[in-house]
Amino acid sequence: MTLLELVDVTASYGPVQVLEGVSLSVPDGGAVGILGANGAGKTTTLRAISGVVRTGGRIVFDGKDISGLRPDQVAARGIAHVPEGRGTLPNLTVRENLMVGAYLRKDRRALAADVDYLIDLFPNLGERIGSNASALSGGEQQMLAVGRAFMARPRLLLLDEPSLGLAPSTAKNVYDAIRRLRVESGIAMLVVEQNATLAFSIVDTATVLETGRSVLTGSSTELKGRDEIRRAYLGG
Ligand SMILES: Nc1ncnc2c1ncn2[C@@H]1O[C@H](COP(=O)(O)OP(=O)(O)O)[C@@H](O)[C@H]1O
Ligand SMILES: [Mg+2]
């Protein structure tokens, strides 16, 4: 079943149109990548889904058109966004940041179990559960941002360049944990990445954006085999 479908989505910042027609779909429980150069519109595509920018075209989630909804309404439908730059709250502790992600939930007992699960998934967060987020390393902040989004128990996670600014070994650790989260939770994921090698380690299919348009969609295996993808995104 298709969980999320974008059909010819357009978006603008003021008078400047930056998405010219993005189409993609994410199956329920599936993981889909968005690849593309800097400025291609990857972040804007996630913002369009989250209701942060005004859009044209159709955005259908769980069978209903969600374009035009406010960000809080989109979140309430079950979409959690881990933004570029992470967006953790520096003056709150790790635990408090996680609880911010859970603000719509009432099931206190399950909340505690989910915090325990995240500490198992990201042991660094457990060691720093009472520290302010400002004290975390870049990798730990990324883990916290993913953890906070998971605390909303979404049906779909939007991940914007989880590897950005991280050392390669840290980025790999973050991706290993995201892969485990995917397998164990069944949460669908839409993953923006410039590092295609990392993206292909978790996604089944990917869409390539160029100047605000989706130009190519295929399975990870198929895309990895294409010369233009290897040259542009895989360093070979
Ligand atoms: N807040 C903004 N106001 C105006 N233009 C923006 C804004 N954010 C991004 N843009 C422009 O929109 C285009 C797409 O940006 P973005 O979605 O951030 O690309 P990507 O995430 O693929 O690097 C770029 O040309 C960028 O300069
Ligand atoms: Mg971006």
Side-chain angles (χ1 to χ4, degrees):
M1 186 203 118
T2 300
L3 182 62
L4 175 76
E5 182 150 43
L6 272 57
V7 184
D8 256 326
V9 169
T10 58
S12 311
Y13 294 107
V16 185
Q17 186 169 345
V18 299
L19 297 188
E20 309 265 356
V22 174
S23 300
L24 58 83
S25 75
V26 182
D28 204 1
V32 173
I34 301 180
L35 305 177
N38 230 336
K42 304 182 298 297
T43 293
T44 305
T45 300
L46 297 191
R47 287 186 184 147
I49 297 164
S50 284
V52 182
V53 292
R54 283 187 160 238
T55 57
R58 287 196 322 134
I59 303 177
V60 179
F61 180 70
D62 197 19
K64 296 182 192 77
D65 196 325
I66 59 163
S67 48
L69 294 188
R70 294 189 315 262
D72 59 307
Q73 295 172 317
V74 174
R77 298 284 175 101
I79 298 180
H81 191 159
V82 180
E84 197 174 45
R86 291 137 205 172
T88 52
L89 300 163
N91 298 322
L92 297 186
T93 65
V94 167
R95 185 185 293 283
E96 287 164 348
N97 267 277
L98 293 177
M99 288 308 162
V100 167
Y103 78 103
L104 288 170
R105 291 174 56 179
K106 303 275 185 291
D107 47 345
R108 295 202 139 261
R109 205 167 282 172
L111 278 184
D114 282 352
V115 172
D116 289 343
Y117 173 72
L118 286 174
I119 288 173
D120 184 55
L121 187 68
F122 297 121
N124 291 33
L125 293 186
E127 285 162 25
R128 293 175 167 267
I129 196 84
S131 307
N132 278 3
S134 57
L136 301 182
S137 69
E140 290 165 347
Q141 301 224 7
Q142 188 64 59
M143 293 169 193
L144 179 57
V146 172
R148 183 176 63 177
F150 169 77
M151 287 302 290
R153 280 287 182 171
R155 293 185 64 194
L156 174 68
L157 257 183
L158 308 177
L159 298 164
D160 199 343
E161 297 208 42
S163 74
L164 194 71
L166 304 183
S169 61
T170 309
K172 187 178 176 302
N173 286 344
V174 168
Y175 265 83
D176 285 346
I178 294 172
R179 186 179 325 106
R180 192 183 136 198
L181 182 65
R182 183 193 166 192
V183 170
E184 293 176 352
S185 71
I187 296 172
M189 298 184 176
L190 183 57
V191 187
V192 162
E193 250 314 331
Q194 282 200 51
N195 184 331
T197 307
L198 286 175
F200 287 137
S201 75
I202 55 173
V203 305
D204 311 313
T205 64
T207 293
V208 178
L209 293 194
E210 267 175 33
T211 55
R213 226 180 267 281
S214 32
V215 293
L216 184 63
T217 296
S219 70
S220 296
T221 320
E222 196 180 319
L223 292 175
K224 275 190 278 192
R226 290 181 75 121
D227 283 345
E228 69 266 36
I229 300 291
R230 281 219 296 275
R231 272 197 306 272
Y233 306 111
L234 295 168

